[in-house]
Amino acid sequence: AQKITQTQPGMFVQEKEAVTLDCTYDTSDQSYGLFWYKQPSSGEMIFLIYQGSYDEQNATEGRYSLNFQKARKSANLVISASQLGDSAMYFCAMRGWLSSGSARQLTFGSGTQLTVLP
Amino acid sequence: DSGVTQTPKHLITATGQRVTLRCSPRSGDLSVYWYQQSLDQGLQFLIQYYNGEERAKGNILERFSAQQFPDLHSELNLSSLELGDSALYFCASSVRDHGDTQYFGPGTRLTVL
């Protein structure tokens, strides 16, 4: 079984500044995937970025980048040039084997509430 | 807009009742996943269907069941509802099996009174 830990329940950042949201994971799998999702106050879950365990380069998607440090088992999300619309809950997730061993599925962390200040 | 649709958006019902949540995946996606998001349990995987067949089960209660129809839409049935079943229920879809990125629908907020 795998575990995702997000140790920052809440974060504040000034508009236009960069912010890093922490995510650490625990797995015995050799092949896995790491995801970040954004959940605004409206409730929907929006896919942001993906990193495969064998990818040698850090993933980037526009203002989002994933700082992947495999040896430290961390997959931090970096948002550059924060905007007011970035205020939301952010979830880190890992695709790994279920405890039953029947299939691989997503396990989510507890989330980080990001507030962007004007 | 992810392309995944869920109905209804909100549902209010009483304890002991039965409800059905509906999900239509993105065009071309064969897999449908159901998740429950509650304040105390966080976001938990319930069940996955792939091309009409049950593929994987997570923390789904026996009072809950799901199916995927030939047109690939899916329904999640919740019966003998309890207060603790109040939550946001998400459907997600992916192109193939568990190896692909999952795109989430807007969710159905269930309130059990």
mmCIF file of all heavy atoms in Angstrom, chain A residues 66-97:
data_model
loop_
_atom_site.group_PDB
_atom_site.id
_atom_site.type_symbol
_atom_site.label_atom_id
_atom_site.label_comp_id
_atom_site.label_asym_id
_atom_site.label_seq_id
_atom_site.Cartn_x
_atom_site.Cartn_y
_atom_site.Cartn_z
ATOM 1 N N LEU A 66 6.707 20.405 -11.394
ATOM 2 C CA LEU A 66 6.755 19.398 -10.337
ATOM 3 C C LEU A 66 8.225 19.153 -10.021
ATOM 4 O O LEU A 66 8.981 18.721 -10.897
ATOM 5 C CB LEU A 66 6.056 18.116 -10.802
ATOM 6 C CG LEU A 66 5.581 17.157 -9.717
ATOM 7 C CD1 LEU A 66 4.390 16.351 -10.194
ATOM 8 C CD2 LEU A 66 6.713 16.241 -9.284
ATOM 9 N N ASN A 67 8.614 19.417 -8.797
ATOM 10 C CA ASN A 67 9.984 19.191 -8.343
ATOM 11 C C ASN A 67 10.069 17.775 -7.798
ATOM 12 O O ASN A 67 9.737 17.517 -6.646
ATOM 13 C CB ASN A 67 10.348 20.223 -7.276
ATOM 14 C CG ASN A 67 11.799 20.100 -6.842
ATOM 15 O OD1 ASN A 67 12.531 19.241 -7.342
ATOM 16 N ND2 ASN A 67 12.220 20.941 -5.929
ATOM 17 N N PHE A 68 10.512 16.845 -8.657
ATOM 18 C CA PHE A 68 10.511 15.430 -8.339
ATOM 19 C C PHE A 68 11.883 15.024 -7.839
ATOM 20 O O PHE A 68 12.879 15.129 -8.565
ATOM 21 C CB PHE A 68 10.140 14.631 -9.586
ATOM 22 C CG PHE A 68 10.096 13.135 -9.405
ATOM 23 C CD1 PHE A 68 9.435 12.566 -8.332
ATOM 24 C CD2 PHE A 68 10.697 12.296 -10.346
ATOM 25 C CE1 PHE A 68 9.373 11.189 -8.176
ATOM 26 C CE2 PHE A 68 10.641 10.918 -10.203
ATOM 27 C CZ PHE A 68 9.982 10.363 -9.111
ATOM 28 N N GLN A 69 11.944 14.577 -6.582
ATOM 29 C CA GLN A 69 13.191 14.085 -6.006
ATOM 30 C C GLN A 69 12.949 12.653 -5.556
ATOM 31 O O GLN A 69 12.458 12.406 -4.444
ATOM 32 C CB GLN A 69 13.641 14.979 -4.855
ATOM 33 C CG GLN A 69 13.922 16.409 -5.295
ATOM 34 C CD GLN A 69 14.522 17.250 -4.201
ATOM 35 O OE1 GLN A 69 15.442 16.826 -3.492
ATOM 36 N NE2 GLN A 69 14.011 18.456 -4.036
ATOM 37 N N LYS A 70 13.310 11.721 -6.430
ATOM 38 C CA LYS A 70 12.955 10.314 -6.232
ATOM 39 C C LYS A 70 13.594 9.737 -4.978
ATOM 40 O O LYS A 70 12.962 8.999 -4.237
ATOM 41 C CB LYS A 70 13.377 9.516 -7.463
ATOM 42 C CG LYS A 70 12.769 8.141 -7.572
ATOM 43 C CD LYS A 70 13.061 7.556 -8.941
ATOM 44 C CE LYS A 70 12.428 6.189 -9.095
ATOM 45 N NZ LYS A 70 12.654 5.650 -10.459
ATOM 46 N N ALA A 71 14.854 10.040 -4.746
ATOM 47 C CA ALA A 71 15.548 9.475 -3.590
ATOM 48 C C ALA A 71 14.921 9.948 -2.281
ATOM 49 O O ALA A 71 14.893 9.208 -1.294
ATOM 50 C CB ALA A 71 17.024 9.848 -3.636
ATOM 51 N N ARG A 72 14.415 11.153 -2.282
ATOM 52 C CA ARG A 72 13.783 11.698 -1.079
ATOM 53 C C ARG A 72 12.287 11.397 -1.059
ATOM 54 O O ARG A 72 11.589 11.760 -0.106
ATOM 55 C CB ARG A 72 13.998 13.206 -1.012
ATOM 56 C CG ARG A 72 15.447 13.612 -0.939
ATOM 57 C CD ARG A 72 15.603 15.117 -0.891
ATOM 58 N NE ARG A 72 15.005 15.701 0.307
ATOM 59 C CZ ARG A 72 14.976 16.996 0.583
ATOM 60 N NH1 ARG A 72 15.523 17.855 -0.267
ATOM 61 N NH2 ARG A 72 14.408 17.447 1.683
ATOM 62 N N LYS A 73 11.771 10.779 -2.124
ATOM 63 C CA LYS A 73 10.346 10.463 -2.252
ATOM 64 C C LYS A 73 9.501 11.713 -2.046
ATOM 65 O O LYS A 73 8.563 11.729 -1.233
ATOM 66 C CB LYS A 73 9.945 9.346 -1.290
ATOM 67 C CG LYS A 73 10.576 8.005 -1.651
ATOM 68 C CD LYS A 73 10.003 6.861 -0.847
ATOM 69 C CE LYS A 73 10.566 5.538 -1.339
ATOM 70 N NZ LYS A 73 10.049 4.382 -0.579
ATOM 71 N N SER A 74 9.873 12.746 -2.778
ATOM 72 C CA SER A 74 9.072 13.963 -2.716
ATOM 73 C C SER A 74 8.681 14.413 -4.121
ATOM 74 O O SER A 74 9.405 14.166 -5.096
ATOM 75 C CB SER A 74 9.823 15.082 -1.986
ATOM 76 O OG SER A 74 10.847 15.604 -2.787
ATOM 77 N N ALA A 75 7.534 15.054 -4.208
ATOM 78 C CA ALA A 75 6.993 15.511 -5.497
ATOM 79 C C ALA A 75 6.289 16.844 -5.256
ATOM 80 O O ALA A 75 5.055 16.928 -5.280
ATOM 81 C CB ALA A 75 6.033 14.473 -6.054
ATOM 82 N N ASN A 76 7.068 17.866 -5.040
ATOM 83 C CA ASN A 76 6.507 19.166 -4.685
ATOM 84 C C ASN A 76 6.000 19.909 -5.915
ATOM 85 O O ASN A 76 6.616 19.872 -6.979
ATOM 86 C CB ASN A 76 7.547 20.019 -3.969
ATOM 87 C CG ASN A 76 8.011 19.392 -2.673
ATOM 88 O OD1 ASN A 76 7.323 18.554 -2.089
ATOM 89 N ND2 ASN A 76 9.191 19.784 -2.215
ATOM 90 N N LEU A 77 4.895 20.595 -5.746
ATOM 91 C CA LEU A 77 4.320 21.407 -6.817
ATOM 92 C C LEU A 77 4.807 22.848 -6.654
ATOM 93 O O LEU A 77 4.693 23.419 -5.570
ATOM 94 C CB LEU A 77 2.796 21.376 -6.768
ATOM 95 C CG LEU A 77 2.081 22.248 -7.806
ATOM 96 C CD1 LEU A 77 2.255 21.673 -9.211
ATOM 97 C CD2 LEU A 77 0.590 22.387 -7.464
ATOM 98 N N VAL A 78 5.311 23.403 -7.732
ATOM 99 C CA VAL A 78 5.744 24.803 -7.735
ATOM 100 C C VAL A 78 4.816 25.575 -8.664
ATOM 101 O O VAL A 78 4.639 25.207 -9.827
ATOM 102 C CB VAL A 78 7.210 24.953 -8.193
ATOM 103 C CG1 VAL A 78 7.607 26.421 -8.168
ATOM 104 C CG2 VAL A 78 8.136 24.132 -7.306
ATOM 105 N N ILE A 79 4.215 26.621 -8.125
ATOM 106 C CA ILE A 79 3.379 27.514 -8.930
ATOM 107 C C ILE A 79 4.133 28.831 -9.045
ATOM 108 O O ILE A 79 4.444 29.472 -8.028
ATOM 109 C CB ILE A 79 2.004 27.747 -8.282
ATOM 110 C CG1 ILE A 79 1.298 26.412 -8.007
ATOM 111 C CG2 ILE A 79 1.136 28.617 -9.193
ATOM 112 C CD1 ILE A 79 -0.020 26.564 -7.245
ATOM 113 N N SER A 80 4.425 29.221 -10.254
ATOM 114 C CA SER A 80 5.134 30.490 -10.446
ATOM 115 C C SER A 80 4.126 31.604 -10.699
ATOM 116 O O SER A 80 3.004 31.356 -11.153
ATOM 117 C CB SER A 80 6.093 30.366 -11.635
ATOM 118 O OG SER A 80 5.360 30.125 -12.821
ATOM 119 N N ALA A 81 4.521 32.818 -10.376
ATOM 120 C CA ALA A 81 3.695 34.007 -10.642
ATOM 121 C C ALA A 81 2.246 33.777 -10.225
ATOM 122 O O ALA A 81 1.332 33.813 -11.053
ATOM 123 C CB ALA A 81 3.786 34.382 -12.124
ATOM 124 N N SER A 82 2.034 33.563 -8.935
ATOM 125 C CA SER A 82 0.697 33.233 -8.421
ATOM 126 C C SER A 82 -0.339 34.272 -8.828
ATOM 127 O O SER A 82 -0.058 35.480 -8.872
ATOM 128 C CB SER A 82 0.741 33.141 -6.892
ATOM 129 O OG SER A 82 1.582 32.097 -6.478
ATOM 130 N N GLN A 83 -1.538 33.773 -9.077
ATOM 131 C CA GLN A 83 -2.674 34.629 -9.426
ATOM 132 C C GLN A 83 -3.788 34.409 -8.409
ATOM 133 O O GLN A 83 -3.845 33.357 -7.761
ATOM 134 C CB GLN A 83 -3.178 34.273 -10.839
ATOM 135 C CG GLN A 83 -2.127 34.408 -11.912
ATOM 136 C CD GLN A 83 -2.603 33.867 -13.260
ATOM 137 O OE1 GLN A 83 -3.689 33.333 -13.392
ATOM 138 N NE2 GLN A 83 -1.759 34.025 -14.273
ATOM 139 N N LEU A 84 -4.668 35.376 -8.307
ATOM 140 C CA LEU A 84 -5.770 35.254 -7.346
ATOM 141 C C LEU A 84 -6.595 33.992 -7.606
ATOM 142 O O LEU A 84 -7.082 33.345 -6.678
ATOM 143 C CB LEU A 84 -6.666 36.497 -7.397
ATOM 144 C CG LEU A 84 -5.996 37.805 -6.968
ATOM 145 C CD1 LEU A 84 -6.986 38.964 -7.115
ATOM 146 C CD2 LEU A 84 -5.485 37.724 -5.539
ATOM 147 N N GLY A 85 -6.721 33.633 -8.865
ATOM 148 C CA GLY A 85 -7.488 32.443 -9.229
ATOM 149 C C GLY A 85 -6.825 31.134 -8.833
ATOM 150 O O GLY A 85 -7.427 30.071 -8.956
ATOM 151 N N ASP A 86 -5.595 31.199 -8.352
ATOM 152 C CA ASP A 86 -4.911 29.996 -7.881
ATOM 153 C C ASP A 86 -5.360 29.605 -6.476
ATOM 154 O O ASP A 86 -5.025 28.509 -6.006
ATOM 155 C CB ASP A 86 -3.390 30.202 -7.883
ATOM 156 C CG ASP A 86 -2.810 30.375 -9.271
ATOM 157 O OD1 ASP A 86 -3.416 29.871 -10.242
ATOM 158 O OD2 ASP A 86 -1.750 31.023 -9.403
ATOM 159 N N SER A 87 -6.086 30.476 -5.801
ATOM 160 C CA SER A 87 -6.588 30.145 -4.462
ATOM 161 C C SER A 87 -7.501 28.929 -4.553
ATOM 162 O O SER A 87 -8.516 28.964 -5.253
ATOM 163 C CB SER A 87 -7.348 31.333 -3.867
ATOM 164 O OG SER A 87 -6.479 32.404 -3.607
ATOM 165 N N ALA A 88 -7.129 27.881 -3.877
ATOM 166 C CA ALA A 88 -7.852 26.612 -3.978
ATOM 167 C C ALA A 88 -7.195 25.597 -3.057
ATOM 168 O O ALA A 88 -6.152 25.850 -2.460
ATOM 169 C CB ALA A 88 -7.832 26.073 -5.409
ATOM 170 N N MET A 89 -7.811 24.413 -2.970
ATOM 171 C CA MET A 89 -7.192 23.267 -2.302
ATOM 172 C C MET A 89 -6.424 22.498 -3.356
ATOM 173 O O MET A 89 -6.924 22.292 -4.470
ATOM 174 C CB MET A 89 -8.273 22.393 -1.673
ATOM 175 C CG MET A 89 -7.745 21.203 -0.907
ATOM 176 S SD MET A 89 -7.022 21.660 0.666
ATOM 177 C CE MET A 89 -8.480 21.637 1.685
ATOM 178 N N TYR A 90 -5.217 22.075 -2.993
ATOM 179 C CA TYR A 90 -4.377 21.330 -3.913
ATOM 180 C C TYR A 90 -4.093 19.945 -3.335
ATOM 181 O O TYR A 90 -3.670 19.815 -2.182
ATOM 182 C CB TYR A 90 -3.066 22.075 -4.164
ATOM 183 C CG TYR A 90 -3.255 23.307 -5.009
ATOM 184 C CD1 TYR A 90 -3.716 24.486 -4.444
ATOM 185 C CD2 TYR A 90 -3.019 23.286 -6.385
ATOM 186 C CE1 TYR A 90 -3.925 25.618 -5.217
ATOM 187 C CE2 TYR A 90 -3.216 24.412 -7.160
ATOM 188 C CZ TYR A 90 -3.678 25.569 -6.565
ATOM 189 O OH TYR A 90 -3.891 26.687 -7.336
ATOM 190 N N PHE A 91 -4.329 18.932 -4.165
ATOM 191 C CA PHE A 91 -4.131 17.553 -3.741
ATOM 192 C C PHE A 91 -3.014 16.902 -4.542
ATOM 193 O O PHE A 91 -2.985 17.003 -5.772
ATOM 194 C CB PHE A 91 -5.411 16.729 -3.933
ATOM 195 C CG PHE A 91 -6.521 17.095 -3.001
ATOM 196 C CD1 PHE A 91 -7.495 17.998 -3.390
ATOM 197 C CD2 PHE A 91 -6.596 16.535 -1.738
ATOM 198 C CE1 PHE A 91 -8.536 18.336 -2.538
ATOM 199 C CE2 PHE A 91 -7.618 16.863 -0.875
ATOM 200 C CZ PHE A 91 -8.597 17.764 -1.277
ATOM 201 N N CYS A 92 -2.144 16.229 -3.811
ATOM 202 C CA CYS A 92 -1.133 15.373 -4.415
ATOM 203 C C CYS A 92 -1.691 13.952 -4.419
ATOM 204 O O CYS A 92 -2.382 13.543 -3.460
ATOM 205 C CB CYS A 92 0.145 15.450 -3.580
ATOM 206 S SG CYS A 92 1.513 14.424 -4.175
ATOM 207 N N ALA A 93 -1.440 13.209 -5.469
ATOM 208 C CA ALA A 93 -1.945 11.839 -5.553
ATOM 209 C C ALA A 93 -0.893 10.948 -6.202
ATOM 210 O O ALA A 93 -0.093 11.403 -7.013
ATOM 211 C CB ALA A 93 -3.238 11.790 -6.372
ATOM 212 N N MET A 94 -0.936 9.683 -5.819
ATOM 213 C CA MET A 94 -0.021 8.720 -6.398
ATOM 214 C C MET A 94 -0.790 7.534 -6.945
ATOM 215 O O MET A 94 -1.731 7.052 -6.294
ATOM 216 C CB MET A 94 0.982 8.225 -5.356
ATOM 217 C CG MET A 94 2.010 7.270 -5.939
ATOM 218 S SD MET A 94 3.294 6.857 -4.773
ATOM 219 C CE MET A 94 2.373 5.836 -3.680
ATOM 220 N N ARG A 95 -0.371 7.093 -8.108
ATOM 221 C CA ARG A 95 -0.963 5.890 -8.690
ATOM 222 C C ARG A 95 -0.078 4.729 -8.295
ATOM 223 O O ARG A 95 1.094 4.675 -8.643
ATOM 224 C CB ARG A 95 -1.051 6.008 -10.200
ATOM 225 C CG ARG A 95 -1.684 4.797 -10.875
ATOM 226 C CD ARG A 95 -1.786 5.011 -12.367
ATOM 227 N NE ARG A 95 -0.507 5.218 -12.973
ATOM 228 C CZ ARG A 95 -0.284 6.133 -13.921
ATOM 229 N NH1 ARG A 95 -1.259 6.920 -14.318
ATOM 230 N NH2 ARG A 95 0.909 6.248 -14.454
ATOM 231 N N GLY A 96 -0.690 3.801 -7.552
ATOM 232 C CA GLY A 96 0.053 2.640 -7.112
ATOM 233 C C GLY A 96 -0.909 1.494 -6.876
ATOM 234 O O GLY A 96 -2.113 1.631 -7.043
ATOM 235 N N TRP A 97 -0.359 0.353 -6.460
ATOM 236 C CA TRP A 97 -1.174 -0.837 -6.283
ATOM 237 C C TRP A 97 -2.056 -0.726 -5.048
ATOM 238 O O TRP A 97 -1.628 -0.270 -3.989
ATOM 239 C CB TRP A 97 -0.294 -2.079 -6.153
ATOM 240 C CG TRP A 97 0.359 -2.434 -7.430
ATOM 241 C CD1 TRP A 97 1.637 -2.139 -7.805
ATOM 242 C CD2 TRP A 97 -0.233 -3.118 -8.532
ATOM 243 N NE1 TRP A 97 1.869 -2.603 -9.080
ATOM 244 C CE2 TRP A 97 0.748 -3.211 -9.554
ATOM 245 C CE3 TRP A 97 -1.500 -3.680 -8.761
ATOM 246 C CZ2 TRP A 97 0.503 -3.831 -10.769
ATOM 247 C CZ3 TRP A 97 -1.743 -4.296 -9.978
ATOM 248 C CH2 TRP A 97 -0.749 -4.369 -10.960
#
